[in-house]
Amino acid sequence: MFIKVKYGDDETLLCNPSCVAVNLMRNIKRRAGYEDNALVLDLSDEKGLVQELETRRYDQASSILTSQNRTYVLVKRQQSSSSSPDRQRDAAVAGEDGDAKPASVQYEYVPLLNNCLELFPDYRLQLQSNEAGVGPQKRTRRQSSVKAINPAVVKHTKVEKRTFSKRRV
C-alpha cells in the first residue's frame, strides 16, 4: 500500500507507510525540502482530519494512515497565537497549593499545500481527538508479540554430564 502526500504547488510524493511514523515523517520532510527547518510536520486527510503522527511516533504508520483514497495533505504544526510565551506567563493558573502552573500549550495546523480548498473543497482542519467531542485518546500499551511459555507444556530435558579422561599413549 502506498500513500500520496500533496504539498506546495500541487506537488505529490509517493510514500510507503510500512514503517514507524517517525521514519515516514523524516523521509517526507527531507523529500519535500523542509529538512533544514525546525518545523514539526504532520499529515491530514482530504477532509482535513489531522493524523497527529507526532503523538504516535513509534506506531506503524500504515495502521494510522487508513484514509479511503490514501491521499494526504502535508501540514505544519505551530504554536497558536493564544499560547505564545508571553500569554502563557500572563495566564499562569494557581494550583490548589498556591503554586503557579503555566497554561497548556496549544497548537494550530497550517496546510502546506497551496490552493488547498480548490483541490479539496470539503477540506476543514480538525483534530482526531476533537472529532468525537471528547478529550484526547488514551493510549494503551501495545501487547508484546512474544508469547509467554506455559510451564505445563515445557518438557524438561536432562543434560548428562560427561567426563573425559586423557588417554595415555
Side-chain angles (χ1 to χ4, degrees):
M1 164 180 112
F2 287 93
I3 61 168
K4 292 185 279 184
V5 177
K6 299 187 109 10
Y7 69 99
D9 292 326
D10 199 19
E11 296 180 55
T12 304
L13 292 175
L14 187 63
C15 301
N16 184 352
S18 298
C19 60
V20 291
V22 68
N23 290 341
L24 176 67
M25 291 310 299
R26 187 179 299 139
N27 180 272
I28 290 172
K29 192 173 184 178
R30 181 183 55 80
R31 291 172 57 197
Y34 294 102
E35 186 175 35
D36 296 334
N37 295 339
L39 295 175
V40 177
L41 300 180
D42 209 328
L43 298 176
S44 68
D45 65 7
E46 293 174 321
K47 294 182 181 180
L49 184 63
V50 177
Q51 301 301 306
E52 296 180 280
L53 296 173
E54 184 67 23
T55 61
R56 300 182 283 182
R57 297 172 55 104
Y58 300 106
D59 291 349
Q60 274 293 61
S62 58
S63 66
I64 301 168
L65 303 173
T66 57
S67 173
Q68 281 298 89
N69 296 334
R70 294 187 178 100
T71 300
Y72 294 90
V73 175
L74 191 62
V75 296
K76 69 177 177 179
R77 184 181 80 176
Q78 62 189 19
Q79 200 171 11
S80 67
S81 58
S82 64
S83 65
S84 66
D86 294 332
R87 287 197 173 208
Q88 285 180 4
R89 186 181 62 240
D90 295 340
V93 178
E96 292 176 11
D97 55 357
D99 294 335
K101 296 180 182 176
S104 64
V105 177
Q106 294 191 359
Y107 296 100
E108 60 187 15
Y109 292 86
V110 179
L112 295 174
L113 175 63
N114 301 337
N115 303 323
C116 186
L117 291 175
E118 291 176 11
L119 296 170
F120 304 109
D122 296 333
Y123 191 82
R124 302 288 177 264
L125 276 173
Q126 57 188 343
L127 295 176
Q128 285 183 343
S129 57
N130 293 339
E131 181 183 26
V134 294
Q137 299 172 351
K138 290 185 180 178
R139 292 187 50 177
T140 57
R141 181 177 281 190
R142 263 196 270 172
Q143 293 182 358
S144 174
S145 61
V146 177
K147 295 181 181 178
I149 298 173
N150 184 352
V153 178
V154 175
K155 295 180 181 178
H156 294 283
T157 58
K158 191 173 185 178
V159 178
E160 296 179 18
K161 288 187 177 179
R162 294 184 183 175
T163 56
F164 296 97
S165 60
K166 292 183 179 178
R167 280 196 218 180
R168 294 185 186 173
V169 182

